[in-house]
């Protein structure tokens, strides 16, 4: 029987109170938002915190605010389900809402939070890949103040992030999408059911005013490296050029060469490399065509 270890439970009423608890309890405590990862790790005896700080009811850390021309802000305790069904986010950040809708089951999505999904820092997590492609940053808060980091600098590796003692993840900031741009997200798993992705990927592509020449592109791969892997070769191949079938093939090969997958119970490293090539070819083409219509 999986029985949780004994721990002290705290439910702060304000963000400031949560920060005071995080600072005073230090590494003895774990922060709980949705708990869909934390509780499982506790049941499996992977961690045994002496205290739990429950921030799930803090309204200061919830909500979605989209402003025309100013991007969006998402509270760290906003649930994945709220993101999935947000019409405001879907209008400008469809890659994120689609990724959110592919995370776990309905039951998981109504509990899990975007902050928890990123703090858990699983290499196969759905939201960090799309957030990174969209240029998102995180705001980390403590009693001493706040600091902002790009999402790819926040996630340091498998279950490792840049949170320092006394800090909590407060919110996500997404910039306004550029004109003539489009972002697409895709993934591949081994069966049509709730699962952890074998590979996921997001591509954000921006065109010049002529609507055909590629101005910029960001391709981000998940589940092929300990942290979201940003392609360096894709921009070098595509910037300043119009997309052709030959270029699409080259992008697939470049992404495969950059991927650093491992073999595990979900897929072999060889299979993951093949999937990376297929996703890169498809998503670059889809993003290009969508940007032409933007």
């Amino acid at each position: 029987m999986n029985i949780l270890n004994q721990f002290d439970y705290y439910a702060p009423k304000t963000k400031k109170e949560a920060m005071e608890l995080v600072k005073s309890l230090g590494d003895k405590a774990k922060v709980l938002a949705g708990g869909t990862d934390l509780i499982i790790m506790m049941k499996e005896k992977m961690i045994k915190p002496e205290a739990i700080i429950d921030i799930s009811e803090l309204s200061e850390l919830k909500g979605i605010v989209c402003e025309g021309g100013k991007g969006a802000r998402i509270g760290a305790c906003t649930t994945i389900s709220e993101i999935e069904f947000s019409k405001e986010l879907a209008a400008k950040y469809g890659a994120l809402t689609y990724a959110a809708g592919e995370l776990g089951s309905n039951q998981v999505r109504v509990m899990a939070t975007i902050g928890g999904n990123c703090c858990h820092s699983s290499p196969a997590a759905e939201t960090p890949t799309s957030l990174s492609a969209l240029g998102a940053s995180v705001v980390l808060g403590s009693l001493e103040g706040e600091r902002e980091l790009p999402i790819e600098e926040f996630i340091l590796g498998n279950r490792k992030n840049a949170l320092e003692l006394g800090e909590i993840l407060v919110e996500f900031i997404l910039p306004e999408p550029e004109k003539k741009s489009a972002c697409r997200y895709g993934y591949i798993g081994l069966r049509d059911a709730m699962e952890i992705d074998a590979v996921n990927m997001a591509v954000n592509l921006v065109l010049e005013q002529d609507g055909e020449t590629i101005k910029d592109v960001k391709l981000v791969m998940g589940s092929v490296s300990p942290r979201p892997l940003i392609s360096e070769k894709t921009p070098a191949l595509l910037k300043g050029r119009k997309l052709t079938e030959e270029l699409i093939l080259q992008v697939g090969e470049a992404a495969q060469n950059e991927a650093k997958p491992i073999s595990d119970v979900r897929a072999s490293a060889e299979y993951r490399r093949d999937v990376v090539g297929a996703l890169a070819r498809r998503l670059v083409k889809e993003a290009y065509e969508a940007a032409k219509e933007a």
Side-chain angles (χ1 to χ4, degrees):
M1 182 182 296
N2 291 326
I3 300 175
L4 302 181
N5 62 285
Q6 293 290 322
F7 57 85
D8 295 325
Y9 175 80
Y10 300 88
K13 302 299 182 183
T14 65
K15 182 173 70 173
K16 181 181 178 182
E17 186 181 346
M19 291 175 178
E20 290 172 344
L21 286 166
V22 168
K23 183 174 183 178
S24 63
L25 294 171
D27 56 11
K28 296 179 181 179
K30 289 292 183 182
V31 174
L32 182 148
T36 55
D37 288 314
L38 178 64
I39 300 302
I40 290 173
M41 293 176 70
M42 291 174 67
K43 284 183 175 181
E44 295 181 354
K45 311 304 180 186
M46 297 172 67
I47 56 173
K48 296 181 179 181
E50 296 179 28
I52 294 294
I53 304 170
D54 185 350
I55 63 172
S56 62
E57 297 302 318
L58 293 182
S59 59
E60 296 169 272
L61 301 181
K62 295 181 178 182
I64 299 166
V65 177
C66 292
E67 296 185 65
K70 295 184 179 180
R73 305 178 84 95
I74 305 174
C77 286
T78 304
T79 67
I80 297 298
S81 182
E82 289 173 306
I83 292 167
E84 175 188 4
F85 294 110
S86 168
K87 293 181 179 179
E88 288 183 306
L89 288 178
K92 296 196 290 186
Y93 310 102
L96 175 60
T97 57
Y98 174 60
E102 299 302 307
L103 188 157
S105 65
N106 289 328
Q107 294 93 328
V108 168
R109 293 194 293 274
V110 297
M111 292 183 63
T113 65
I114 188 170
N117 192 234
C118 291
C119 285
H120 186 59
S121 303
S122 165
E126 289 84 357
T127 61
T129 312
S130 53
L131 285 167
S132 176
L134 290 164
S137 59
V138 297
V139 177
L140 310 179
S142 68
L143 293 176
E144 285 69 41
E146 294 183 343
R147 62 189 179 107
E148 186 176 330
L149 284 176
I151 183 68
E152 55 263 28
E153 292 182 19
F154 173 69
I155 297 175
L156 304 179
N158 184 16
R159 294 175 183 162
K160 297 178 182 178
N161 60 55
L163 278 172
E164 297 179 356
L165 286 178
E167 287 185 325
I168 60 174
L169 178 52
V170 175
E171 68 175 346
F172 295 79
I173 300 174
L174 282 76
E176 184 75 7
E178 292 193 49
K179 294 180 179 179
K180 295 188 180 298
S181 71
C183 188
R184 291 293 181 268
Y185 172 87
Y187 70 98
I188 289 187
L190 298 183
R191 57 193 174 89
D192 187 19
M194 185 178 68
E195 62 184 343
I196 297 174
D197 297 343
V199 176
N200 62 48
M201 182 182 294
V203 174
N204 194 10
L205 192 144
V206 186
L207 297 180
E208 299 282 6
Q209 288 302 310
D210 64 7
E212 292 185 344
T213 304
I214 297 171
K215 178 181 179 181
D216 201 6
V217 62
K218 188 173 185 181
L219 185 152
V220 186
M221 296 172 263
S223 203
V224 296
S225 176
R227 60 196 293 191
L229 181 61
I230 301 171
S231 172
E232 296 180 357
K233 294 182 178 180
T234 300
L237 278 170
L238 296 180
K239 288 173 70 172
R241 304 175 73 177
K242 297 177 182 179
L243 192 65
T244 64
E245 290 300 322
E246 181 181 354
L247 272 179
I248 291 173
L249 292 175
Q250 291 178 21
V251 166
E253 292 175 4
Q256 284 179 307
N257 291 334
E258 289 179 292
K260 303 172 184 177
I262 61 170
S263 294
D264 59 18
V265 295
R266 294 189 296 278
S268 67
E270 292 75 16
Y271 175 77
R272 282 190 165 100
R273 285 194 184 91
D274 287 343
V275 168
V276 163
L279 281 175
R281 292 190 295 270
R282 174 167 68 84
L283 295 177
V284 165
K285 187 173 183 178
E286 287 181 2
Y288 184 78
E289 293 300 324
K292 288 169 67 175
E293 302 297 322

